[in-house]
Amino acid sequence: MDTIPSLNTLRSIKTTKNIGETFEGFKKGDDLDQPLSPMARLFHEPGSNVYIIGIMGLKTKIRPNVFKENLVHTFLKNRRFSSLQVMDKETGSMKWIPTHVNIDDHVIVPKLDPNINSPDKFVEDFISNLSRSHIDNIKPLWDLHILDIKTSEAEGTCVFRFHHSLGDGVSLMNLLLACTRKVSDPEALPTLPGNNKLGVAKVASLWSTLGVIWNSFLALLMFVWTALFLEDTRTPMKGSKGVEHRARRFVVRSVSLDDIKMVKRAMNVSLNDVVLGITQAGFYRYLQGRYSNENADIPDNMRFRATFFFNLRPTTRIDDFTDTDSVGTWGNKIGYSLLPFKICFKKDPLDYVVDANTTMKHRKASLEPLFTYLFTKLLMILFGIKVVGKVNHKVFFNTTLWFSNVPGPQEEITFFGHKVAYIAPSCYGQPNALMIHVVSYMDKVTFIISADEETIPDPHKLCNDLEESLRDIKASAQNRIVK
C-alpha cells in the first residue's frame, strides 16, 4: 500500500513585524501574533500530527453557495480558522498570524457523475484518499469537501478536515453544532445530554479519597511503564511501525439507541458501559475470525488496551464558536486513560457489559485523565515539545487502539438550513491501526471505524461483528427481563 507523505512538513513563511503592512484590514503597527499553546504545538510533532475528520450526511441537496456564505460569518470569525500557523526558523516556536481567507480555497466541490456506480463506496474511497494527504500550511489548516452525490444514507455528504492543533474533538464538535439549529425550533441551538465534567472522580470520605489517590498513582505508573517498554500483545488488530503514515479506511455503522437503552435498564449500568461491552464482544468475534483463518487460537490473557479519551471541560453545553478566549471552550483540553479490554469468550453476552462496568468503575475512582494531562504538561515544561512528542507516540503505539465517544444532539438538526442525517467524527495520523469513535444523534448511536487497511483489511466485517454483538447482548437482556 502506498504511504501518505510525511505530515510534519511545516515550512517557514516570511512575515513582517508590522502586521498592517502584511494583512490588509488590520490596524498598522498592531502586533497580533499569538503563540500556539504547547498542546497545539505538540500536534505538529512526528507521531502526534493528527487530523480530525468530520463526516456529515445531509437529507437534502447541498447548496455550496449557502455553505460558503455561512462559513464566512461563522468559521472565519474565529481567529484559529482565519490565521496561519507560522514557524520561527530560529526558535522553532509557532504563532497564529491573521490572514485573509479566500473561502474558495477551503471549500472544495468536485464535479461528480450522478450516475456513478456504488456511490457509497465512492464516498468511502474519497474520504480514505483524504487521509493520504495534509493541508498546506500556506493557508489556515482546515477545509471542507462537499460531495453532491446520493448515497444509501444521505442526499449529499460534507467532509470537514481540521488539523488537531486547531482544537480537540470536543471543541471542534462544538464549532459544528454551534452552526446548527433544531428542526423543531429554527432559532434554537441543539441540546446535548449530560452537563458534568468527564473523567474526574467524586469522593465522599477520607477512605475514598485515599483510594482515588492510590488508583491515580497506579494509573500514572502504568502510563510511565507503557511509555518505556510495556506493549500490548501482537494481534491482527495491533498496528506495525509507521502506521501513522498510512492511509485509513473510514466506515460508519449506526445502531438503535433504544436497543442500547434497553440493555442499560436491564443491567442498571450506564450507556457507556453498554457501548464498551458491545465493543469488547465485537472485538472477540472479529479476532476469533482472524485467528481461525490462520488456523490459530486467540492467545490467553492477551494485553489489549485502548487509549480512552476524556473531555476535561466543565460542561458539555454548546458555547459561542467565535470566542477563542472563552474559558474551557477552545484548545486541546483532553486527558486519557489506558483502558484494558478483556478479549475472551463469554457464555452469557451480558458478561461483556458486566466487565465493562467493572473496568469503568475502577477508572472513575481515579484521576487518571487529569493526571495524564497534567503530567504531559509537566514533561513539556521540563524537557520540551520534542520529548513529549516521543513519549506520546510511544504510549499510543504500545496500545492497540484509540477509543472516544462524544454526545451528539438529542433532536433532529439542520446545518446551514440542511437537515442532518448523521454525524461521524474520526481521526487519521495516529500511531494505532484502529480508532473507534462513538457518537449519538437522535435515536441512533453511530460507530465510526478509522482503520489502517494493511492491518485491518476488512473494517466492514468489524462493523458487522459489533452489530451482531449488540443483537446477542440485547437478546440476553430481554431473556433476563422475561425471567
Side-chain angles (χ1 to χ4, degrees):
M1 179 179 292
D2 295 337
T3 60
I4 63 174
S6 172
L7 297 182
N8 195 33
T9 57
L10 286 174
R11 57 183 185 275
S12 182
I13 299 173
K14 291 184 179 180
T15 62
T16 65
K17 290 292 184 182
N18 190 333
I19 299 298
E21 293 177 357
T22 309
F23 301 109
E24 180 187 347
F26 291 96
K27 186 177 177 181
K28 189 171 182 177
D30 281 353
D31 182 13
L32 297 179
D33 300 12
Q34 295 289 332
L36 268 70
S37 70
M39 294 302 289
R41 179 66 183 84
L42 178 62
F43 281 103
H44 288 290
E45 288 301 302
S48 298
N49 204 323
V50 177
Y51 279 83
I52 294 174
I53 292 280
I55 308 166
M56 187 179 290
L58 301 175
K59 294 183 178 181
T60 54
K61 280 291 188 183
I62 301 173
R63 294 165 288 168
N65 288 337
V66 172
F67 268 66
K68 291 179 183 180
E69 291 170 8
N70 280 278
L71 287 170
V72 168
H73 298 294
T74 53
F75 278 36
L76 300 193
K77 286 186 176 181
N78 185 308
R79 69 167 178 264
R80 289 171 180 258
F81 291 80
S82 57
S83 297
L84 304 175
Q85 296 184 31
V86 179
M87 180 180 289
D88 187 311
K89 282 185 176 180
E90 295 180 0
T91 66
S93 63
M94 297 184 69
K95 293 181 179 180
W96 301 99
I97 304 291
T99 187
H100 287 293
V101 176
N102 181 351
I103 196 66
D104 291 323
D105 291 338
H106 293 267
V107 180
I108 297 95
V109 188
K111 292 183 179 180
L112 305 178
D113 179 0
N115 300 314
I116 195 169
N117 291 329
S118 187
D120 290 73
K121 186 175 186 305
F122 172 84
V123 170
E124 191 178 295
D125 288 343
F126 184 95
I127 301 171
S128 178
N129 283 332
L130 284 181
S131 72
R132 296 176 181 271
S133 64
H134 63 280
I135 301 172
D136 200 316
N137 69 310
I138 62 172
K139 65 181 183 180
L141 299 180
W142 67 275
D143 58 22
L144 164 63
H145 300 260
I146 295 178
L147 305 180
D148 188 16
I149 185 170
K150 184 176 181 180
T151 64
S152 60
E153 298 291 332
E155 290 290 330
T157 305
C158 297
V159 185
F160 291 90
R161 184 168 55 157
F162 310 102
H163 192 268
H164 215 314
S165 59
L166 295 176
D168 57 32
V170 174
S171 58
L172 292 168
M173 176 69 87
N174 180 83
L175 171 73
L176 293 178
L177 293 180
C179 299
T180 68
R181 295 295 183 268
K182 296 180 183 179
V183 170
S184 60
D185 184 356
E187 299 300 318
L189 288 167
T191 53
L192 300 177
N195 196 41
N196 295 319
K197 183 176 287 189
L198 302 177
V200 177
K202 296 180 180 179
V203 296
S205 66
L206 176 61
W207 180 252
S208 61
T209 301
L210 292 174
V212 167
I213 293 172
W214 177 247
N215 288 337
S216 303
F217 171 75
L218 291 179
L220 189 58
L221 195 60
M222 182 63 70
F223 171 87
V224 172
W225 286 346
T226 303
L228 293 175
F229 62 86
L230 193 63
E231 186 175 357
D232 280 6
T233 305
R234 289 284 175 177
T235 70
M237 297 175 78
K238 179 78 170 65
S240 58
K241 188 176 180 180
V243 65
E244 64 269 24
H245 299 305
R246 298 198 288 263
R248 316 281 292 193
R249 175 68 54 173
F250 300 92
V251 181
V252 179
R253 184 68 58 89
S254 294
V255 298
S256 169
L257 177 59
D258 286 340
D259 287 349
I260 293 176
K261 285 182 175 179
M262 188 276 289
V263 177
K264 169 187 177 295
R265 291 191 296 268
M267 298 293 292
N268 192 28
V269 295
S270 70
L271 289 174
N272 195 48
D273 293 337
V274 180
V275 168
L276 281 173
I278 293 167
T279 304
Q280 290 189 137
F283 284 175
Y284 173 76
R285 187 187 294 266
Y286 177 79
L287 284 173
Q288 185 183 42
R290 290 287 298 272
Y291 277 106
S292 293
N293 292 338
E294 299 172 4
N295 295 317
D297 296 325
I298 293 180
D300 292 330
N301 301 316
M302 72 170 68
R303 184 182 298 111
F304 190 107
R305 294 172 297 169
T307 304
F308 191 101
F309 291 94
F310 289 86
N311 173 30
L312 297 179
R313 290 172 175 78
T315 71
T316 55
R317 67 185 175 86
I318 300 172
D319 294 306
D320 180 5
F321 54 82
T322 64
D323 186 1
T324 55
D325 297 317
S326 177
V327 175
T329 302
W330 278 95
N332 284 280
K333 295 181 174 65
I334 48 175
Y336 56 83
S337 173
L338 301 181
L339 193 70
F341 278 32
K342 295 182 180 179
I343 308 299
C344 59
F345 173 73
K346 303 284 187 185
K347 185 175 181 181
D348 183 350
L350 288 178
D351 286 343
Y352 290 109
V353 179
V354 173
D355 279 352
N357 174 255
T358 301
T359 300
M360 289 308 297
K361 278 182 178 178
H362 183 74
R363 285 302 181 272
K364 289 174 183 177
S366 159
L367 296 172
E368 183 180 0
L370 183 60
F371 272 37
T372 55
Y373 177 76
L374 295 176
F375 186 70
T376 299
K377 297 193 80 170
L378 178 62
L379 285 179
M380 208 172 293
I381 293 169
L382 295 176
F383 302 106
I385 294 288
K386 298 292 183 184
V387 170
V388 174
K390 291 179 181 179
V391 167
N392 264 1
H393 180 273
K394 193 71 179 292
V395 170
F396 296 151
F397 178 76
N398 280 348
T399 58
T400 301
L401 74 146
W402 280 11
F403 190 98
S404 179
N405 59 0
V406 176
Q410 296 177 293
E411 55 278 303
E412 188 175 17
I413 58 173
T414 61
F415 188 86
F416 296 152
H418 300 70
K419 285 187 178 181
V420 176
Y422 67 87
I423 305 168
S426 195
C427 293
Y428 71 87
Q430 63 270 41
N432 303 86
L434 177 66
M435 178 174 186
I436 305 284
H437 202 110
V438 184
V439 63
S440 58
Y441 173 49
M442 293 174 55
D443 59 350
K444 298 288 185 183
V445 170
T446 300
F447 289 82
I448 306 98
I449 306 291
S450 168
D452 164 43
E453 287 187 288
E454 185 175 305
T455 308
I456 302 172
D458 50 356
H460 288 278
K461 172 67 166 57
L462 178 55
C463 283
N464 293 340
D465 289 334
L466 291 170
E467 205 165 8
E468 286 292 329
S469 295
L470 172 58
R471 291 194 190 102
D472 289 348
I473 289 171
K474 175 188 172 184
S476 184
Q478 287 174 326
N479 289 336
R480 179 170 295 193
I481 292 172
V482 170
K483 291 179 182 178

